[in-house]
Every structure is written in C-alpha cells, then in structure tokens.
Amino acid sequence: MTSPIHCGRFAPSPTGPLHAGSLLAAFASWLSVRHQGGRWLLRVEDVDPPRTVPGAAQSQLALLRHMGLHPDGPVLWQSQREDAYQHALDALVASGQAFACHCSRSELAASGGIHHRCVARHSRPDPAIRLRVAPASVVSFGDTLRGPQQQDVHAEVGDFVLRRADGCWAYQMAVVVDDAAQGITEVVRGADLLDSTARQILLQRALGLPTPTYGHLPLLLGADGRKLSKSEAAQPVDEGDPMAVLRQLWQLLGQPAAALAGAATHADLLQRAAAAFDRSRVPLHDISSRQAHSSP
Ligand code: GLU
C-alpha cells in the first residue's frame, strides 16, 4: 500500500491584491510542505462572484511567481467546479444529511441566530441548502501549530449553509470538495479560518472524504500593533526585491535570519528556507509587521 503524497496548498480569494498577511500564509504553506519534501498547489477561490474583483486572481498569481513560489500542478479555479459541488450536494441531500432551508435572516436572528430547526413562515423560490448538524457534534483535532482544538458545532454554529439562497456555493462546501479533489494532506492558513475547521471536518465525514492536517498561523497586525484595518489589509505587497520580502516574511514566522544570511540567489534562498523551516518556532500570538526589523 502506498501512502498519499504529502501535499499542501494556498487558496486565495481574488477579492483584491495579495496583502502581506496572505503572502505570509502562502510562504508558510510552501515552507511547511517543501520542508517535508511534498508538493504545493494553488487554487483560486473565485466561488463568490459578487466579491470577485476582475483581474485580482491574475495579479495574485503573478506576485506568487515573482516570489518564486511555483505550484507543482495546474491552478484549480473554483468557478469551474460547479459540477463537482453539485454532485457532492446531491449525495448529501439524497442521504438526508442536507436539506433546503427557507428561513430568512431576520427569522433566524429572532430565534437566536443559530439554525437548529427551520423557523420559516413562508417558503421561498430560492432556499439555501444546509448541512444537518446533530446535537453533540463535537469535533476535536490537533492543530499542527496550536495543539488540541475542539468545537461543539451543533451548539456554536448549528446547521450551516452549503449553497446560499443566491445560488452561490458556500466557502465551506467548495473548500472541502476541492481539498479532497487536489489530494491535499496538509492545510496551513491564517488563524481567521481556525473557526471554520470543525465545520470542514464534519463535512468531510458526511461526504466520506479524508481529513487533512490543519495548522493555523498567527494573524499579521499593522505597524501600530492593531489588527490590519480594511484599508491596510487591502494594501498590495511591495513587489520590490523578492529576496528582501521573503527574508522579512521568514522572520515574521519566527525563523532565524542567520539561516538565510548566506543565500546568494533567489533560488538558493528558497532552498535554504525550505531546508531550515522549523514550525515549532512559528509564533502563536498575533504578530506585528514591525517585528521583522527587530528580530535576531
Ligand atoms: N480563500 C480563503 C481566503 O482567501 C482561504 C481558504 C483556505 O485557506 O481554506 O481567506
């Protein structure tokens, strides 16, 4: 029996240019999988047309190329994955694990905001489809960076949306189907998605799909030490010298500058970084973009 090839990914939503926090996640996912000799793939999460900015995906991919972060296979575009999501949804509906929900936002808000049973007074032509989450659906997993995590999805989230009333696929549905389709065995991403992980694991179980490992990176704070504001988060990364940018990200990830000090070329720097990456050094608290200049 052969074990699956170790495979990581970076999956940006094309809602604007890549900001420093996203590039940090891209580099960390690349480092983690490359350190283990695995493959790294890219996926454009353009599943939400109202939020997709024309040209943003192309500029994100161009920046990753400029940084020397090249995928080991074709880029997967979620906008072309309709059939796969529909197939998965049909299976869940057929087995009674998913159901059409006519509840409006205000009806749900009036009943506590968490969906445990339908409270709709009228049926609508465009119901959302939700996953049924049974009582005491407690999901535990070991975060590769943060250690043991646990969430009671029934109590804290309730039945969650797989396809929205506007017909768009929910992020949770698309990400689970595509992580499996791309053979992803390791996810490394920002801590803002830690809260989604238990839902994704439940959905994998409902669909009979494997669960990758998950590691959640610290969030990058603005120079003032506060969470990146919307406008700061929208700032594109300075596309200048990729080696300088990578050295800075390296230090934000808690890695010693000395490991890359002797790198003469961009390729050499990436190779040294992949070899020396130590995930136990990645900080768990949010990090300020200022710290890059003061790290040893
Ligand atoms: N598309 C998501 C984002 O840009 C990331 C999804 C993921 O890594 O699971 O925030």
Side-chain angles (χ1 to χ4, degrees), residues 12-293:
S13 301
T15 52
L18 274 194
H19 57 77
S22 311
L23 194 57
L24 189 77
F27 190 35
S29 64
W30 183 93
L31 284 167
S32 179
V33 78
R34 278 288 193 271
H35 179 72
Q36 300 166 79
R39 284 154 48 81
W40 186 72
L41 297 176
L42 288 174
R43 179 165 76 233
V44 174
E45 299 210 322
D46 54 346
V47 79
D48 190 347
R51 290 184 62 230
T52 297
V53 174
Q58 287 74 10
S59 75
Q60 292 177 336
L61 296 175
L63 179 62
L64 294 169
R65 275 197 300 276
H66 182 63
M67 292 296 149
L69 304 177
H70 301 291
D72 298 305
V75 176
L76 193 69
W77 295 73
Q78 290 195 326
S79 53
Q80 296 169 13
R81 300 275 300 148
E82 171 79 24
D83 290 354
Y85 307 146
Q86 189 63 52
H87 185 75
L89 190 74
D90 289 347
L92 293 172
V93 171
S95 61
Q97 296 179 94
F99 61 96
C101 170
H102 296 264
C103 299
S104 68
R105 223 173 266 222
S106 54
E107 285 167 330
L108 267 184
S111 69
I114 292 181
H115 192 287
H116 284 144
R117 62 187 174 84
C118 281
V119 291
R121 275 164 310 188
H122 309 286
S123 63
R124 41 202 286 178
D126 53 353
I129 309 287
R130 291 178 184 270
L131 187 79
R132 201 179 296 286
V133 179
S137 292
V138 179
V139 173
S140 306
F141 65 98
D143 189 289
T144 54
L145 299 170
R146 290 167 190 266
Q149 307 289 321
Q150 183 168 299
Q151 186 181 50
D152 181 339
V153 183
H154 177 78
E156 293 177 39
V157 180
D159 305 322
F160 58 89
V161 173
L162 304 175
R163 200 182 65 205
R164 302 187 331 215
D166 66 3
C168 289
W169 294 101
Y171 155 67
Q172 311 294 356
M173 180 70 171
V175 80
V176 162
V177 171
D178 286 343
D179 277 340
Q182 289 187 290
I184 303 302
T185 59
E186 173 187 284
V187 173
V188 173
R189 60 187 178 188
D192 50 329
L193 293 165
L194 181 57
D195 182 60
S196 287
T197 305
R199 264 172 279 179
Q200 292 172 18
I201 293 174
L202 262 193
L203 191 49
Q204 286 151 4
R205 290 178 186 164
L207 287 165
L209 298 174
T211 292
T213 62
Y214 289 94
H216 290 88
L217 298 161
L219 291 183
L220 190 57
L221 305 174
D224 60 357
R226 311 245 288 261
K227 190 166 184 276
L228 284 184
S229 66
K230 274 231 164 70
S231 56
E232 277 176 314
Q235 293 290 314
V237 174
D238 172 10
E239 293 191 21
D241 173 9
M243 287 175 71
V245 174
L246 291 171
R247 284 184 204 277
Q248 198 172 16
L249 296 173
W250 176 253
Q251 291 182 66
L252 288 174
L253 289 167
Q255 311 296 309
L260 306 185
T265 64
H266 188 175
D268 183 20
L269 182 142
L270 284 168
Q271 206 169 16
R272 286 172 190 241
F277 181 67
D278 178 355
R279 74 176 173 208
S280 71
R281 301 183 68 118
V282 174
L284 296 182
H285 51 83
D286 293 345
I287 46 179
S288 161
S289 47
R290 250 189 332 204
Q291 288 169 8
H293 306 289

